[in-house]
Amino acid sequence: MGKPVTETIVDDASKRAQTLADAVTSPNRLAYKSGALTGAVRLSGTPQVSLRMSYDRPAANVTALLVDYDQNGKAKIVTRGWVDPQNRKSISKTEPVKPGSPYRLDFDMQPHDYVFQAGHRIAIVLLSSDYEYTIRPTPGTTLYLDTTKSTVVLPLVGGAAAFTAANG
């Protein structure tokens, strides 16, 4: 088994998701972009997120954004999803989080039907608090993402073959 590759996010609930998606770099988000699409790609359904994360505090927010970056790098948030690690198994049952311990977070983004145009990039942007939709805790919580044990599944019409064909 390979060694974990860990990347970090430092929460700052005062920053809006659009601002973080637009940022070239930021300690407050992670962004994973495809190459420029050579053809249109249609998303239809519910994107699914599976993350392996740990935290330096006993509470945190986790937000995933699906973003469309145009040829000029302008970001458009297509859909998003959220999870409270304390409710990782059930929305109705709170389970404490032990700082430093890794947890599996499986959650859905909001369903959507959307076409990414040729020349655009598909991206997953991860942040902690979503100013518009989650509580706004005191800034500074650090989240640790194990990229080797995290995945996102996008419901693309035509599946992986459609993405591969449109991604050159």
Side-chain angles (χ1 to χ4, degrees):
M1 185 189 301
K3 188 175 182 178
V5 175
T6 304
E7 296 189 353
T8 61
I9 301 166
V10 178
D11 188 28
D12 185 347
S14 71
K15 297 191 178 181
R16 295 183 182 267
Q18 186 65 53
T19 301
L20 292 172
D22 286 335
V24 175
T25 63
S26 172
N28 309 117
R29 64 101 172 113
L30 297 171
Y32 303 96
K33 300 178 187 178
S34 73
L37 301 172
T38 57
V41 174
R42 181 176 173 201
L43 171 100
S44 185
T46 306
Q48 299 172 323
V49 181
S50 182
L51 306 174
R52 180 81 167 167
M53 298 190 89
S54 59
Y55 321 91
D56 71 346
R57 296 184 186 172
N61 296 313
V62 178
T63 302
L65 310 173
L66 179 62
V67 179
D68 179 353
Y69 285 95
D70 71 14
Q71 298 92 326
N72 300 315
K74 182 168 174 29
K76 177 181 179 182
I77 298 172
V78 174
T79 188
R80 58 181 92 195
W82 316 263
V83 68
D84 178 343
Q86 294 183 84
N87 294 94
R88 62 194 171 276
K89 293 182 182 175
S90 168
I91 196 166
S92 62
K93 183 179 178 192
T94 299
E95 295 183 31
V97 170
K98 181 181 174 189
S101 293
Y103 296 93
R104 167 72 45 212
L105 302 176
D106 296 311
F107 62 101
D108 293 340
M109 291 186 193
Q110 297 296 303
H112 200 44
D113 195 297
Y114 183 85
V115 176
F116 294 88
Q117 298 300 321
H120 289 214
R121 295 174 185 269
I122 299 172
I124 299 298
V125 177
L126 300 175
L127 49 132
S128 184
S129 299
D130 184 341
Y131 181 90
E132 289 90 357
Y133 294 97
T134 65
I135 61 171
R136 299 181 197 145
T138 302
T141 300
T142 301
L143 291 74
Y144 303 91
L145 173 72
D146 180 346
T147 62
T148 63
K149 295 182 180 172
S150 299
T151 60
V152 175
V153 176
L154 301 179
L156 302 178
V157 176
F163 178 76
T164 301
N167 203 28

